[in-house]
Amino acid sequence: MNQDFLARAAEEVAPELLGKTLSCETAEGVVTIVITETEAYSGTADPASHAYRGRSARNATMFGPAGHLYVYRSHGIHWCANVVTATDGVAAGVLIRAGRVVVGEDLARKRRGERVESTRLAKGPGNVGQALGITGEHNGADLLTGPSIRLSEGESVPTELIQAGPRVGVSKAHDWQHRFYVADDPTVSAYRLSPRVKPVAGD
């Protein structure tokens, strides 16, 4: 894994992150997931991206360089993790939507709840952040050489198992086929159309 691999358009990188591992080490220990679901966001060209209207204090990490972690809080509750892609100065990122915990399952379950099934520990972007122990302090972290959080090579996912579909929960550009996931993997989150999407006249 190197910066050149990530310094491409988000929609090119997103399917190739499937099977890669994301690890986070905190004072409590280490949790690692194998990534099973991603979503690409293309910055100022993408109405659903946090960077659509340009650089701000919140989204500055998205503008590069590639290989860093962009963390934001969803609905004021969950921390969500995004891998920054594209060239320096071009905002783009890949949301890690789901994964399979392969290291630190006991710690992930402690964070998520003792009764949570193994396949649901990192199912959905907010749960990914919670299981890994990611917080706002990780925003801007170097995923390639950083000491606490690391994106690494993992499993090889056969091309025929990689599927694409519309993104989950966004009201703008919701039909873009920029969600990528491993077919039939139980850790992949269910597709839901945002209730904010307005029906088209005649539908």
PDB file of all heavy atoms in Angstrom, residues 47-68:
ATOM      1  N   PRO A  47     -22.299  16.599  -5.555  1.00  0.00           N
ATOM      2  CA  PRO A  47     -23.237  17.318  -4.681  1.00  0.00           C
ATOM      3  C   PRO A  47     -23.429  16.680  -3.312  1.00  0.00           C
ATOM      4  O   PRO A  47     -23.882  17.343  -2.374  1.00  0.00           O
ATOM      5  CB  PRO A  47     -24.552  17.286  -5.477  1.00  0.00           C
ATOM      6  CG  PRO A  47     -24.152  17.086  -6.888  1.00  0.00           C
ATOM      7  CD  PRO A  47     -22.931  16.213  -6.832  1.00  0.00           C
ATOM      8  N   ALA A  48     -23.091  15.396  -3.169  1.00  0.00           N
ATOM      9  CA  ALA A  48     -23.260  14.716  -1.884  1.00  0.00           C
ATOM     10  C   ALA A  48     -22.015  14.802  -1.009  1.00  0.00           C
ATOM     11  O   ALA A  48     -22.039  14.368   0.145  1.00  0.00           O
ATOM     12  CB  ALA A  48     -23.621  13.250  -2.108  1.00  0.00           C
ATOM     13  N   SER A  49     -20.942  15.361  -1.546  1.00  0.00           N
ATOM     14  CA  SER A  49     -19.679  15.425  -0.809  1.00  0.00           C
ATOM     15  C   SER A  49     -19.652  16.609   0.150  1.00  0.00           C
ATOM     16  O   SER A  49     -20.198  17.682  -0.135  1.00  0.00           O
ATOM     17  CB  SER A  49     -18.511  15.553  -1.793  1.00  0.00           C
ATOM     18  OG  SER A  49     -17.304  15.832  -1.106  1.00  0.00           O
ATOM     19  N   HIS A  50     -18.975  16.436   1.273  1.00  0.00           N
ATOM     20  CA  HIS A  50     -18.792  17.530   2.219  1.00  0.00           C
ATOM     21  C   HIS A  50     -17.978  18.662   1.616  1.00  0.00           C
ATOM     22  O   HIS A  50     -18.017  19.790   2.117  1.00  0.00           O
ATOM     23  CB  HIS A  50     -18.081  17.031   3.478  1.00  0.00           C
ATOM     24  CG  HIS A  50     -18.928  16.152   4.344  1.00  0.00           C
ATOM     25  ND1 HIS A  50     -18.460  15.531   5.471  1.00  0.00           N
ATOM     26  CD2 HIS A  50     -20.233  15.797   4.250  1.00  0.00           C
ATOM     27  CE1 HIS A  50     -19.424  14.825   6.036  1.00  0.00           C
ATOM     28  NE2 HIS A  50     -20.507  14.962   5.301  1.00  0.00           N
ATOM     29  N   ALA A  51     -17.224  18.367   0.567  1.00  0.00           N
ATOM     30  CA  ALA A  51     -16.361  19.376  -0.051  1.00  0.00           C
ATOM     31  C   ALA A  51     -16.989  20.029  -1.276  1.00  0.00           C
ATOM     32  O   ALA A  51     -16.323  20.781  -1.986  1.00  0.00           O
ATOM     33  CB  ALA A  51     -15.030  18.736  -0.443  1.00  0.00           C
ATOM     34  N   TYR A  52     -18.241  19.775  -1.522  1.00  0.00           N
ATOM     35  CA  TYR A  52     -18.887  20.257  -2.749  1.00  0.00           C
ATOM     36  C   TYR A  52     -18.814  21.779  -2.886  1.00  0.00           C
ATOM     37  O   TYR A  52     -18.620  22.299  -3.982  1.00  0.00           O
ATOM     38  CB  TYR A  52     -20.349  19.801  -2.768  1.00  0.00           C
ATOM     39  CG  TYR A  52     -21.113  20.200  -4.013  1.00  0.00           C
ATOM     40  CD1 TYR A  52     -20.681  19.819  -5.276  1.00  0.00           C
ATOM     41  CD2 TYR A  52     -22.282  20.961  -3.915  1.00  0.00           C
ATOM     42  CE1 TYR A  52     -21.382  20.177  -6.411  1.00  0.00           C
ATOM     43  CE2 TYR A  52     -22.989  21.324  -5.052  1.00  0.00           C
ATOM     44  CZ  TYR A  52     -22.532  20.927  -6.291  1.00  0.00           C
ATOM     45  OH  TYR A  52     -23.240  21.289  -7.420  1.00  0.00           O
ATOM     46  N   ARG A  53     -18.955  22.482  -1.779  1.00  0.00           N
ATOM     47  CA  ARG A  53     -18.941  23.952  -1.824  1.00  0.00           C
ATOM     48  C   ARG A  53     -17.566  24.544  -1.548  1.00  0.00           C
ATOM     49  O   ARG A  53     -17.431  25.735  -1.336  1.00  0.00           O
ATOM     50  CB  ARG A  53     -19.977  24.507  -0.843  1.00  0.00           C
ATOM     51  CG  ARG A  53     -21.406  24.252  -1.283  1.00  0.00           C
ATOM     52  CD  ARG A  53     -22.405  24.903  -0.341  1.00  0.00           C
ATOM     53  NE  ARG A  53     -23.756  24.839  -0.879  1.00  0.00           N
ATOM     54  CZ  ARG A  53     -24.573  23.805  -0.771  1.00  0.00           C
ATOM     55  NH1 ARG A  53     -24.161  22.721  -0.116  1.00  0.00           N
ATOM     56  NH2 ARG A  53     -25.792  23.823  -1.283  1.00  0.00           N
ATOM     57  N   GLY A  54     -16.555  23.691  -1.548  1.00  0.00           N
ATOM     58  CA  GLY A  54     -15.199  24.187  -1.369  1.00  0.00           C
ATOM     59  C   GLY A  54     -14.624  23.889   0.004  1.00  0.00           C
ATOM     60  O   GLY A  54     -15.252  23.267   0.854  1.00  0.00           O
ATOM     61  N   ARG A  55     -13.416  24.343   0.211  1.00  0.00           N
ATOM     62  CA  ARG A  55     -12.672  24.053   1.435  1.00  0.00           C
ATOM     63  C   ARG A  55     -13.261  24.798   2.629  1.00  0.00           C
ATOM     64  O   ARG A  55     -13.668  25.961   2.524  1.00  0.00           O
ATOM     65  CB  ARG A  55     -11.208  24.441   1.262  1.00  0.00           C
ATOM     66  CG  ARG A  55     -10.307  24.047   2.425  1.00  0.00           C
ATOM     67  CD  ARG A  55      -8.936  24.680   2.270  1.00  0.00           C
ATOM     68  NE  ARG A  55      -8.234  24.178   1.101  1.00  0.00           N
ATOM     69  CZ  ARG A  55      -7.316  23.217   1.122  1.00  0.00           C
ATOM     70  NH1 ARG A  55      -7.010  22.646   2.283  1.00  0.00           N
ATOM     71  NH2 ARG A  55      -6.710  22.833   0.023  1.00  0.00           N
ATOM     72  N   SER A  56     -13.273  24.128   3.753  1.00  0.00           N
ATOM     73  CA  SER A  56     -13.699  24.735   5.019  1.00  0.00           C
ATOM     74  C   SER A  56     -12.863  24.127   6.137  1.00  0.00           C
ATOM     75  O   SER A  56     -12.097  23.180   5.921  1.00  0.00           O
ATOM     76  CB  SER A  56     -15.184  24.470   5.272  1.00  0.00           C
ATOM     77  OG  SER A  56     -15.415  23.092   5.531  1.00  0.00           O
ATOM     78  N   ALA A  57     -13.042  24.642   7.335  1.00  0.00           N
ATOM     79  CA  ALA A  57     -12.301  24.088   8.469  1.00  0.00           C
ATOM     80  C   ALA A  57     -12.672  22.628   8.685  1.00  0.00           C
ATOM     81  O   ALA A  57     -11.835  21.805   9.064  1.00  0.00           O
ATOM     82  CB  ALA A  57     -12.588  24.911   9.729  1.00  0.00           C
ATOM     83  N   ARG A  58     -13.934  22.298   8.432  1.00  0.00           N
ATOM     84  CA  ARG A  58     -14.395  20.938   8.663  1.00  0.00           C
ATOM     85  C   ARG A  58     -13.808  19.950   7.671  1.00  0.00           C
ATOM     86  O   ARG A  58     -13.405  18.850   8.036  1.00  0.00           O
ATOM     87  CB  ARG A  58     -15.921  20.887   8.589  1.00  0.00           C
ATOM     88  CG  ARG A  58     -16.513  19.496   8.833  1.00  0.00           C
ATOM     89  CD  ARG A  58     -17.948  19.424   8.372  1.00  0.00           C
ATOM     90  NE  ARG A  58     -18.604  18.178   8.792  1.00  0.00           N
ATOM     91  CZ  ARG A  58     -19.734  17.717   8.284  1.00  0.00           C
ATOM     92  NH1 ARG A  58     -20.349  18.387   7.313  1.00  0.00           N
ATOM     93  NH2 ARG A  58     -20.267  16.594   8.714  1.00  0.00           N
ATOM     94  N   ASN A  59     -13.772  20.328   6.380  1.00  0.00           N
ATOM     95  CA  ASN A  59     -13.415  19.346   5.355  1.00  0.00           C
ATOM     96  C   ASN A  59     -11.997  19.484   4.819  1.00  0.00           C
ATOM     97  O   ASN A  59     -11.635  18.822   3.843  1.00  0.00           O
ATOM     98  CB  ASN A  59     -14.405  19.431   4.184  1.00  0.00           C
ATOM     99  CG  ASN A  59     -14.318  20.764   3.437  1.00  0.00           C
ATOM    100  OD1 ASN A  59     -13.283  21.410   3.378  1.00  0.00           O
ATOM    101  ND2 ASN A  59     -15.425  21.184   2.850  1.00  0.00           N
ATOM    102  N   ALA A  60     -11.163  20.312   5.444  1.00  0.00           N
ATOM    103  CA  ALA A  60      -9.830  20.615   4.906  1.00  0.00           C
ATOM    104  C   ALA A  60      -9.007  19.365   4.639  1.00  0.00           C
ATOM    105  O   ALA A  60      -8.253  19.298   3.653  1.00  0.00           O
ATOM    106  CB  ALA A  60      -9.086  21.541   5.863  1.00  0.00           C
ATOM    107  N   THR A  61      -9.157  18.345   5.475  1.00  0.00           N
ATOM    108  CA  THR A  61      -8.377  17.116   5.296  1.00  0.00           C
ATOM    109  C   THR A  61      -8.682  16.450   3.959  1.00  0.00           C
ATOM    110  O   THR A  61      -7.811  15.798   3.361  1.00  0.00           O
ATOM    111  CB  THR A  61      -8.671  16.124   6.441  1.00  0.00           C
ATOM    112  OG1 THR A  61      -8.346  16.749   7.686  1.00  0.00           O
ATOM    113  CG2 THR A  61      -7.846  14.855   6.300  1.00  0.00           C
ATOM    114  N   MET A  62      -9.903  16.617   3.456  1.00  0.00           N
ATOM    115  CA  MET A  62     -10.288  15.984   2.186  1.00  0.00           C
ATOM    116  C   MET A  62      -9.486  16.503   0.995  1.00  0.00           C
ATOM    117  O   MET A  62      -9.421  15.842  -0.039  1.00  0.00           O
ATOM    118  CB  MET A  62     -11.778  16.200   1.909  1.00  0.00           C
ATOM    119  CG  MET A  62     -12.707  15.313   2.695  1.00  0.00           C
ATOM    120  SD  MET A  62     -14.407  15.414   2.073  1.00  0.00           S
ATOM    121  CE  MET A  62     -14.262  14.478   0.552  1.00  0.00           C
ATOM    122  N   PHE A  63      -8.888  17.672   1.147  1.00  0.00           N
ATOM    123  CA  PHE A  63      -8.163  18.283   0.035  1.00  0.00           C
ATOM    124  C   PHE A  63      -6.720  17.768  -0.073  1.00  0.00           C
ATOM    125  O   PHE A  63      -5.944  18.284  -0.853  1.00  0.00           O
ATOM    126  CB  PHE A  63      -8.191  19.798   0.167  1.00  0.00           C
ATOM    127  CG  PHE A  63      -9.538  20.391  -0.202  1.00  0.00           C
ATOM    128  CD1 PHE A  63     -10.572  20.396   0.721  1.00  0.00           C
ATOM    129  CD2 PHE A  63      -9.767  20.916  -1.462  1.00  0.00           C
ATOM    130  CE1 PHE A  63     -11.823  20.928   0.381  1.00  0.00           C
ATOM    131  CE2 PHE A  63     -10.994  21.453  -1.806  1.00  0.00           C
ATOM    132  CZ  PHE A  63     -12.035  21.444  -0.881  1.00  0.00           C
ATOM    133  N   GLY A  64      -6.410  16.754   0.694  1.00  0.00           N
ATOM    134  CA  GLY A  64      -5.135  16.086   0.517  1.00  0.00           C
ATOM    135  C   GLY A  64      -4.108  16.448   1.563  1.00  0.00           C
ATOM    136  O   GLY A  64      -4.351  17.275   2.424  1.00  0.00           O
ATOM    137  N   PRO A  65      -2.992  15.736   1.480  1.00  0.00           N
ATOM    138  CA  PRO A  65      -2.642  14.720   0.482  1.00  0.00           C
ATOM    139  C   PRO A  65      -3.352  13.394   0.703  1.00  0.00           C
ATOM    140  O   PRO A  65      -3.923  13.163   1.773  1.00  0.00           O
ATOM    141  CB  PRO A  65      -1.129  14.567   0.659  1.00  0.00           C
ATOM    142  CG  PRO A  65      -0.899  14.904   2.095  1.00  0.00           C
ATOM    143  CD  PRO A  65      -1.886  15.987   2.419  1.00  0.00           C
ATOM    144  N   ALA A  66      -3.305  12.537  -0.313  1.00  0.00           N
ATOM    145  CA  ALA A  66      -3.920  11.218  -0.214  1.00  0.00           C
ATOM    146  C   ALA A  66      -3.240  10.403   0.878  1.00  0.00           C
ATOM    147  O   ALA A  66      -2.065  10.599   1.186  1.00  0.00           O
ATOM    148  CB  ALA A  66      -3.808  10.490  -1.551  1.00  0.00           C
ATOM    149  N   GLY A  67      -3.999   9.460   1.436  1.00  0.00           N
ATOM    150  CA  GLY A  67      -3.428   8.574   2.442  1.00  0.00           C
ATOM    151  C   GLY A  67      -3.644   9.025   3.862  1.00  0.00           C
ATOM    152  O   GLY A  67      -3.085   8.440   4.796  1.00  0.00           O
ATOM    153  N   HIS A  68      -4.472  10.051   4.038  1.00  0.00           N
ATOM    154  CA  HIS A  68      -4.806  10.502   5.378  1.00  0.00           C
ATOM    155  C   HIS A  68      -6.262  10.153   5.675  1.00  0.00           C
ATOM    156  O   HIS A  68      -7.031   9.783   4.785  1.00  0.00           O
ATOM    157  CB  HIS A  68      -4.551  11.998   5.525  1.00  0.00           C
ATOM    158  CG  HIS A  68      -3.094  12.330   5.551  1.00  0.00           C
ATOM    159  ND1 HIS A  68      -2.437  12.746   6.685  1.00  0.00           N
ATOM    160  CD2 HIS A  68      -2.150  12.285   4.577  1.00  0.00           C
ATOM    161  CE1 HIS A  68      -1.160  12.942   6.420  1.00  0.00           C
ATOM    162  NE2 HIS A  68      -0.965  12.676   5.136  1.00  0.00           N
TER     163      HIS A  68
END
